[in-house]
């Protein structure tokens, strides 16, 4: 008789563990995208691997800050504009990193959306459509690059130039659009 309640609470714990998920350290629940939208929250795919495709990790709608440390002021402002127009897509934003290229100059932003999240393509194409006012140098999403400084005209992501396979989801930009900006 005493071990019956213990067994019950153990199985309740297992159910809770199956339903919980986290997206970039934000705790969420694996529920249908419909139920999540009705709650005014954000669904992110590929964080509930054992569930059907319409069950995704549901979290409060993220409202990330653009990191200002070593990030150029005009890049921070353009980043805010991009987030404002793409609400509920981005969980974390990175700017400066001690490496070569625009990140090392505080001229690039990584918008972390989660692996293979279709919202990444939507954001990347929105940035392309607004590249003039945002003074964009180039954009990468899903192992493809669009570079207006090479004279490339706006075109759907499918038509962007293919990039080499760099090995990982992150290195191939399948979990974040990368946007490089021109110097002010
Ligand atoms: C930046 O990276 C270089 C090369 O990897 C390294 O030598 C240097 O110590 C790093 N600087 C900082 C502040 O971490």
């Amino acid at each position: 008789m005493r071990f019956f309640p213990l067994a019950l609470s153990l199985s309740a714990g297992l159910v809770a563990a199956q339903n919980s998920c986290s997206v970039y350290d934000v705790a969420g629940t694996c529920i249908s995208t419909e139920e999540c939208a009705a709650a005014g929250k954000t669904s992110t795919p590929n964080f509930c691997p054992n569930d059907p495709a319409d069950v995704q990790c549901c979290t409060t709608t993220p409202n990330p800050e653009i990191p200002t440390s070593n990030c150029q002021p005009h890049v921070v402002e353009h980043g805010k504009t991009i987030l404002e127009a793409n609400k509920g897509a981005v969980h974390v934003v990175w700017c400066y990193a001690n490496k070569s290229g625009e990140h090392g100059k505080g001229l690039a932003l990584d918008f972390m959306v989660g692996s293979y999240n279709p919202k990444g393509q939507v954001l990347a194409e929105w940035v392309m459509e607004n590249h003039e006012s945002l003074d964009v140098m180039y954009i990468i999403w899903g192992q493809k690059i669009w570079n207006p400084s090479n004279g490339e005209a706006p075109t759907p992501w499918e038509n962007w130039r293919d990039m080499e396979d760099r090995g990982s989801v992150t290195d191939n930009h399948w979990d974040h659009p990368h946007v490089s900006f021109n110097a002010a």
Side-chain angles (χ1 to χ4, degrees), residues 4-67:
F4 199 56
L6 175 64
L8 273 180
S9 65
L10 264 180
S11 62
L14 282 174
V15 168
Q18 279 169 351
N19 287 337
S20 63
C21 51
S22 81
V23 182
Y24 299 105
D25 293 337
V26 177
T29 315
C30 297
I31 58 175
S32 76
T33 54
E34 201 176 335
E35 195 181 340
C36 185
K41 296 184 177 183
T42 295
S43 293
T44 303
N46 300 312
F47 288 95
C48 300
N50 301 320
D51 293 316
D54 72 322
V55 172
Q56 300 185 356
C57 191
C58 181
T59 59
T60 50
T61 299
N63 185 23
E65 300 276 317
I66 312 291

Side-chain angles (χ1 to χ4, degrees), residues 109-113 120 123-124 139-141 173 175-179:
L109 296 176
D110 286 337
F111 295 92
M112 309 308 290
V113 297
L123 183 146
I139 311 168
I140 303 173
W141 165 252
H173 298 85
D175 60 3
H176 68 282
H178 166 109
V179 182

Side-chain angles (χ1 to χ4, degrees), residues 98-149:
N98 179 21
K99 54 187 188 185
S100 62
E102 287 77 45
H103 279 298
K105 299 175 191 156
L107 283 173
L109 296 176
D110 286 337
F111 295 92
M112 309 308 290
V113 297
S115 310
Y116 306 106
N117 187 343
K119 291 172 184 170
Q121 181 181 336
V122 174
L123 183 146
E125 290 180 333
W126 187 89
V127 173
M128 175 189 71
E129 295 298 341
N130 293 277
H131 75 99
E132 285 180 1
S133 62
L134 296 170
D135 206 7
V136 168
M137 186 190 290
Y138 63 87
I139 311 168
I140 303 173
W141 165 252
Q143 220 182 317
K144 287 174 180 283
I145 183 168
W146 180 72
N147 191 339
S149 33

